[in-house]
Amino acid sequence: MKTLDWNTLFGKGAGRIQASTIRELLKLTQRPGVISFAGGLPAPELFPKEEAARKAAEILKEKGEVALQYGPTEGYGPLRTWVAEWIGVKPEEVLITTGSQQALDLLGKVFLDEGSPVLLEAPSYMGAIQAFRAYGPRFLTVPAGEEGPDLEALEATLKRERPRFLYLIPSFQNPSGGLMPLRARKRLLEMVMAQGLVVVEDDAYRELYFGESRLPSLFELAREVGYPGVIYLSSFSKILSPGLRVAFAVAHPEAITKLTQAKQGSDLHTPVLNQMLVHELVQEGFPERLSKIRATYRAKAGTMLEALDQEMPKGVRYTRPQGGMFVWMELPQGLSAEALFRQAIAQDVAFVPGGPFFAGGGGENTLRLSYATMGPEGIVEGVRRLAKALKRLLALA
């Protein structure tokens, strides 16, 4: 019998599909005793476990024939209507997706061809980079910091190139935690309107602000002036449960139609039971739930920043997030975050090296820390172990 060489049988595009760095790192963090700042995993103590169990039982008892049946690709009607009211659009402008990751893949499928230019921040969400890379685009990047993308660099890029779309996370960016000020949002919108450019706004952390209120999204600002070119993504993963895999895209009806057609070839529809459960969970006490989530992450961020202030050696820079789930750290030039990871995992603490967040390369001395999952004692001890590992690396440099 002839042996199969699978690498000669895969299509050309399969070579562009790579394992997620975070998913691979998470395998290392599963061993007992490891304090993990690696995955952007929501705090499990915030999951509505008892309420979800009760609601799921009620749904299956009262609406089981609907919950366990095929459903429309666009999504469960009552949930689409709820999302439309929450965002301030019409239901026909909403597509329910199986996590925001599916929405990113659908965007790649609909907008990107081999060699298509796509514009991202540097750093940017590695899940988006992974999703888009499968379609063979040409990545363009602009530097991004605590106040979002460098608008001068963005303007210069748009004078030279016309990307298929600009993908960005204006609020509590993953990985940097950056927050675009309102003035920067308005200026960016002016630029893209002048070019007729499509913007994909990923707003997964929209409700995780630490201040009194959230800034208006680019999508909201665009709708105020009648610009239809912003495609808005968000999710219930950070405010209910990531395991339910329920998210949504909001866009002009023509874009929603094409994304829906692409989804039909992907999974037909997002699980109806999960959608019905999400719809039930947002009916009662939702504002109070969001307030509790914000307070929890605000406290965890404060604990991590206090510990970093006490433990980190000189020359290390890190952000002070105003929301979201992440602190972004820069090591002194010449130090490698991957080398630090090897030292840190020996101390039973983990993080994500920053390199994979840069679509065009770079970021070797950067890393991402998530404070969302651990409790206060774990955060303090994890930072102590990380500082110990870093000081050992500095001594070897």
Side-chain angles (χ1 to χ4, degrees):
M1 182 172 63
K2 188 174 181 179
T3 301
L4 294 180
D5 182 355
W6 287 101
N7 286 325
T8 66
L9 301 175
F10 296 141
K12 184 171 66 173
R16 295 190 292 262
I17 300 173
Q18 302 174 359
S20 164
T21 300
I22 290 181
R23 297 287 136 190
E24 294 302 307
L25 287 176
L26 285 176
K27 295 177 183 177
L28 295 175
T29 67
Q30 297 305 305
R31 73 186 193 209
V34 172
I35 295 174
S36 178
F37 298 139
L41 308 180
E45 68 268 24
L46 294 173
F47 295 160
K49 296 181 288 290
E50 294 181 2
E51 186 180 357
R54 186 176 68 255
K55 294 290 187 181
E58 292 173 0
I59 290 168
L60 289 170
K61 182 179 180 180
E62 299 171 9
K63 304 175 183 177
E65 291 185 357
V66 176
L68 299 178
Q69 185 57 276
Y70 288 113
T73 302
E74 295 83 352
Y76 176 57
L79 181 59
R80 288 182 79 203
T81 298
W82 187 91
V83 169
E85 292 174 353
W86 190 34
I87 303 300
V89 297
K90 299 175 181 178
E92 56 265 31
E93 296 175 288
V94 177
L95 171 65
I96 304 298
T97 62
T98 307
S100 285
Q101 194 65 31
Q102 182 185 61
L104 294 171
D105 180 65
L106 296 178
L107 287 163
K109 188 178 294 186
V110 166
F111 282 94
L112 299 180
D113 300 310
E114 183 85 25
S116 298
V118 59
L119 183 55
L120 309 176
E121 300 166 286
S124 187
Y125 172 48
M126 72 168 70
I129 297 171
Q130 185 183 26
F132 301 151
R133 180 172 280 135
Y135 298 95
R138 179 166 55 91
F139 287 117
L140 311 172
T141 61
V142 294
E146 288 196 71
E147 293 195 345
D150 182 328
L151 296 184
E152 300 300 326
L154 177 63
E155 187 172 37
T157 300
L158 293 180
K159 287 179 179 178
R160 301 190 309 268
E161 301 271 3
R162 181 172 177 79
R164 291 292 177 88
F165 58 79
L166 163 63
Y167 169 82
L168 75 169
I169 308 172
S171 295
F172 320 122
Q173 199 238 28
N174 181 0
S176 73
L179 176 65
M180 280 188 75
L182 181 58
R183 66 181 184 280
R185 295 174 188 233
K186 291 181 177 179
R187 185 181 170 203
L188 183 145
L189 187 59
E190 290 173 357
M191 289 184 198
V192 300
M193 288 173 61
Q195 297 279 344
L197 180 66
V198 172
V199 177
V200 176
E201 179 181 18
D202 192 339
D203 207 13
Y205 308 95
R206 61 170 278 149
E207 296 295 341
L208 305 188
Y209 52 85
F210 298 160
E212 294 300 317
S213 61
R214 69 175 183 87
L215 290 176
S217 65
L218 286 173
F219 179 85
E220 290 168 320
L221 294 173
R223 287 299 174 99
E224 286 179 3
V225 296
Y227 185 63
V230 178
I231 297 174
Y232 183 82
L233 310 181
S234 195
S235 170
F236 293 99
S237 290
K238 309 302 185 293
I239 54 179
L240 286 179
S241 158
L244 291 173
R245 310 307 301 135
V246 178
F248 55 90
V250 181
H252 186 277
E254 286 190 42
I256 289 296
T257 296
K258 189 54 66 176
L259 291 170
T260 301
Q261 292 168 352
K263 181 173 167 63
Q264 287 170 350
S266 177
D267 67 351
L268 298 182
H269 63 85
T270 299
V272 179
L273 175 59
N274 295 20
Q275 294 184 70
M276 296 177 78
L277 181 55
V278 166
H279 182 248
E280 289 296 321
L281 289 172
V282 297
Q283 296 303 306
E284 300 175 7
F286 191 54
E288 293 77 15
R289 181 188 303 282
L290 295 178
S291 294
K292 180 180 179 181
I293 292 171
R294 286 192 282 269
T296 298
Y297 289 141
R298 185 188 303 118
K300 291 188 178 200
T303 298
M304 176 169 278
L305 290 172
E306 184 176 345
L308 290 170
D309 291 343
Q310 292 178 358
E311 299 288 348
M312 282 295 128
K314 291 182 179 179
V316 176
R317 299 172 57 193
Y318 44 88
T319 58
R320 309 191 79 84
Q322 300 176 56
M325 299 168 64
F326 306 111
V327 169
W328 183 245
M329 181 177 288
E330 292 186 15
L331 305 176
Q333 285 296 329
L335 286 189
S336 163
E338 291 192 4
L340 176 59
F341 180 84
R342 290 191 289 272
Q343 293 282 347
I345 202 68
Q347 299 289 331
D348 286 332
V349 63
F351 58 84
V352 180
F357 295 101
F358 290 79
E364 291 84 0
N365 68 321
T366 63
L367 57 110
R368 190 193 74 178
L369 304 172
S370 173
Y371 45 78
T373 311
M374 304 301 301
E377 292 182 2
I379 292 173
V380 172
E381 175 61 19
V383 170
R384 186 193 68 78
R385 295 181 190 180
L386 180 61
K388 182 178 178 181
L390 178 54
K391 289 170 185 175
R392 180 171 296 179
L393 184 64
L394 285 167
L396 296 172

